[in-house]
Structures are given as C-alpha cells and as structure tokens.
Amino acid sequence: VQLQASGGGLVQTGESLRLSCAASGGTFSTYAVGWFRQAPGKEREFVGGISYSGISTYYEDFVKGRFTISRDNSKNTVFLQMNNLKPEDTALYYCAAAQTKIDRWYSYQWHDYHYWGQGTLVTVSS
C-alpha cells in the first residue's frame, strides 16, 4: 500500500489543522494506521493510532483532548484533526500503516509499521 500525507501548513498557536493520509494499492480496511511526528533535532515519536475498522483509537498523553484520529475506509483515508495547536507541535508528521488481522491492534513503535507516507510539515508559530 502507498500512503500520501497532506494538509500540513503554518498556523498560529491555538489554531487547527486537519491532516489526511490517503492510501492506494491495497485493501486499506485491513491496515491499522499510526501517526508519528519528528521535530528538528528530535527522535520520531508516536502521536496516535487507529485500528483497521476505526473502532479503537489511541493517543499519546501530550495530544489527548486536542487531536482526534478518524478514518473513512470507503475513501481509503485516515485523518488527524489537530486542535489548539502549540509551538511544540511543530514537526514533520507521518502516517504509517501495518496490515493486521487483529482489530484494535496498534503499536507506538515505528518499526512495527511497514508502510510510510512522505510526511507533511506542520509549523505552529507563537
């Protein structure tokens, strides 16, 4: 499966963005999806994930209550809605997919995902 992340941009503190991760070339409804980010000079970190059916979502504490992940399998797309953005959210955001037979499966470890999008840059100014 090929992934294409989009929707990044420059916003001010407190504003919102919605990232999209569009998939092609596979049965997307069998893939769990994770969102990761990497800020300059920092390691890649898990932001959140969604199970293949969308029944389960998972978030790191630093985005809970601000970010929401959803998916539309009929459109082969996963979304990351980011509200109340902060300067520390500035990073390159990646979506990644892992095929699984287990709904509710997710991983916070990047090496468990075999397919990656190219990243979309989010910059939050103070």
Side-chain angles (χ1 to χ4, degrees):
V1 66
Q2 293 79 46
L3 303 176
Q4 178 84 27
S6 62
L10 172 63
V11 296
Q12 295 186 338
T13 298
E15 294 186 338
S16 299
L17 278 175
R18 188 175 80 157
L19 306 186
S20 298
C21 176
S24 61
T27 306
F28 190 55
S29 59
T30 64
Y31 289 82
V33 172
W35 284 96
F36 292 78
R37 70 185 186 186
Q38 188 166 17
K42 296 188 177 181
E43 294 187 352
R44 181 169 20 186
E45 61 181 358
F46 178 72
V47 173
I50 188 165
S51 64
Y52 69 61
S53 71
I55 195 171
S56 298
T57 53
Y58 311 90
Y59 303 94
E60 287 289 15
D61 287 344
F62 54 77
V63 302
K64 279 183 181 177
R66 300 190 299 126
F67 290 12
T68 303
I69 300 173
S70 61
R71 66 190 297 160
D72 184 343
N73 283 341
S74 69
K75 297 181 179 179
N76 290 346
T77 305
V78 171
F79 304 98
L80 176 63
Q81 177 68 43
M82 305 186 295
N83 297 330
N84 190 23
L85 282 162
K86 305 175 181 180
E88 52 265 41
D89 294 319
T90 294
L92 194 58
Y93 282 73
Y94 298 91
C95 59
Q99 194 168 30
T100 177
K101 295 180 180 179
I102 304 171
D103 205 0
R104 301 187 184 276
W105 180 92
Y106 86 105
S107 175
Y108 60 90
Q109 300 187 73
W110 64 267
H111 55 77
D112 286 331
Y113 295 85
H114 304 125
Y115 305 94
W116 289 81
Q118 84 288 4
T120 185
L121 182 62
V122 173
T123 304
V124 185
S125 65
S126 58

